Amino acid sequence: MPKLPVLRRSSVPRWRDVPPQHGRRFVVTGASSGIGLEASRALAGAGAEVVLAVRDRAKGERVAADLPGRVEVRVLDVADLTSVRAFADGLDRVDVLVNNAGVLGVPFSRTADGFETTLATNHLGHFALTNLLLPRLTDRVVVTGSRAHLHGELDLDDLGWERRAYRPYAAYAASKLANLLFLAELQRRLTAAGSTLRATGAHPGSTATAITASSGNAVFAWVGSWGHRLAGMAPWQGALPTLYAATMDVPGNTYVGPHGPGEMQGWPTTARRAPAALDPELARRLWECSEQLTGVRFPL
């Protein structure tokens, strides 16, 4: 793979060309729309074999028909551990896992496993999937973050929002903080185990996707959709940080986002992390909680 240094915000090139990926296999969760779809399109166009991991097979088949190269549709609901295990059991060698699927602003609900839905979808399901697939990975895991993590507060004694009044955006911000803590702790464990695998992360800034459509709030969904269209980037450009983190030769625990003001728009560069996202003790405790909740442990 071409090797570039970690980008500096003072001089950011307009990176948009994914290097050749022939002979490499990617799994992209949430690949039927938005960032996941555009990342899958670019990867397949660069010669990769791409597994579209989607909840709705019919929708996945429709979008797959319009993608170039070699793509395969497989059903995965990351909010359901039974689905996660079945999906992982059905795969053999994978080079790169892109943990992209997510929800934002959804009303309070619990999954079939009894978890709060936002945490289950954005963190716990991907935590389980990653650890189940680690023995079959050859290159890296990409974790999807968000600027929202800067406002996130993670209560490890009430991850399920049982004692607090549920707030959809706060739940989302907490789940995104969990993603970055997972990124850091995963890389720490890989390094300690002597593994050559790496964990990287990315966030899309302000990108026009349909992620707010599942909120159940028509006003919030409209503002989220049209606000991002007016002030944000098209999905193809919003996918660039993910593609950079997935294909370029950057160190483990690199976190990529848009270079512009507030990391809202722009071209891929290193992104800011909240102090809480750099807390190794919080990362360790979250990992232990996640193992207990999912029943899945670090396998290396």
Side-chain angles (χ1 to χ4, degrees):
M1 290 183 295
K3 184 171 183 178
L4 290 178
V6 177
L7 299 177
R8 291 181 172 82
R9 196 170 300 278
S10 60
S11 179
V12 177
R14 294 190 173 191
W15 185 90
R16 60 182 296 175
D17 295 320
V18 176
Q21 300 296 311
H22 301 283
R24 286 163 59 77
R25 192 184 197 200
F26 290 72
V27 170
V28 182
T29 70
S32 61
S33 65
I35 299 298
L37 174 57
E38 293 306 318
S40 298
R41 188 190 312 279
L43 292 168
E49 177 186 353
V50 184
V51 177
L52 309 179
V54 299
R55 286 189 300 173
D56 185 334
R57 178 180 289 278
K59 183 177 180 181
E61 296 286 359
R62 286 196 299 272
V63 301
D66 291 329
L67 296 183
R70 299 174 60 196
V71 296
E72 176 187 2
V73 177
R74 295 199 180 207
V75 174
L76 170 65
D77 182 352
V78 290
D80 184 337
L81 291 180
T82 299
S83 177
V84 170
R85 289 182 182 276
F87 179 86
D89 287 344
L91 286 174
D92 47 20
R93 181 192 63 83
V94 175
D95 294 294
V96 180
L97 169 63
V98 180
N99 289 330
N100 166 78
V103 294
L104 165 61
V106 297
F108 180 82
S109 64
R110 295 202 180 279
T111 67
D113 302 296
F115 305 140
E116 186 274 314
T117 297
T118 299
L119 186 74
T121 305
N122 295 356
H123 169 62
L124 291 174
H126 285 123
F127 174 91
L129 179 64
T130 298
N131 282 290
L132 290 169
L133 287 181
L134 276 182
R136 279 160 274 180
L137 285 175
T138 70
D139 183 6
R140 74 186 77 182
V141 177
V142 181
V143 177
T144 300
S146 168
R147 292 178 63 257
H149 93 276
L150 298 170
H151 313 292
E153 297 181 2
L154 202 57
D155 186 344
L156 297 182
D157 296 319
D158 190 24
L159 286 174
W161 293 83
E162 296 170 348
R163 294 190 293 273
R164 295 170 293 164
Y166 179 76
R167 293 175 292 144
Y169 183 78
Y172 176 74
S175 74
K176 292 289 112 179
L177 175 57
N179 290 153
L180 291 190
L181 291 166
F182 169 59
L183 165 63
E185 180 64 7
L186 175 58
Q187 185 58 58
R188 187 194 69 77
R189 288 173 178 256
L190 290 171
T191 301
S195 174
T196 60
L197 298 176
R198 62 188 127 175
T200 61
H203 79 82
S206 176
T207 299
T209 70
I211 192 171
T212 58
S214 59
S215 67
N217 184 316
V219 174
F220 180 71
W222 187 90
V223 171
S225 175
W226 283 98
H228 286 307
R229 291 184 190 184
L230 293 172
M233 299 181 289
W236 72 264
Q237 188 173 2
L240 292 180
T242 295
L243 290 164
Y244 194 96
T247 64
M248 299 307 292
D249 191 7
V250 294
N253 201 25
T254 294
Y255 184 46
V256 183
H259 83 284
E263 299 180 4
M264 297 287 283
Q265 300 184 46
W267 304 96
T269 188
T270 49
R272 174 190 173 197
R273 282 182 250 206
L278 301 171
D279 183 339
E281 178 62 16
L282 183 60
R284 181 191 64 79
R285 291 175 58 209
L286 173 64
W287 189 284
E288 292 175 351
C289 289
S290 301
E291 286 188 335
Q292 292 170 4
L293 290 169
T294 63
V296 179
R297 299 185 178 277
F298 184 70
L300 302 185

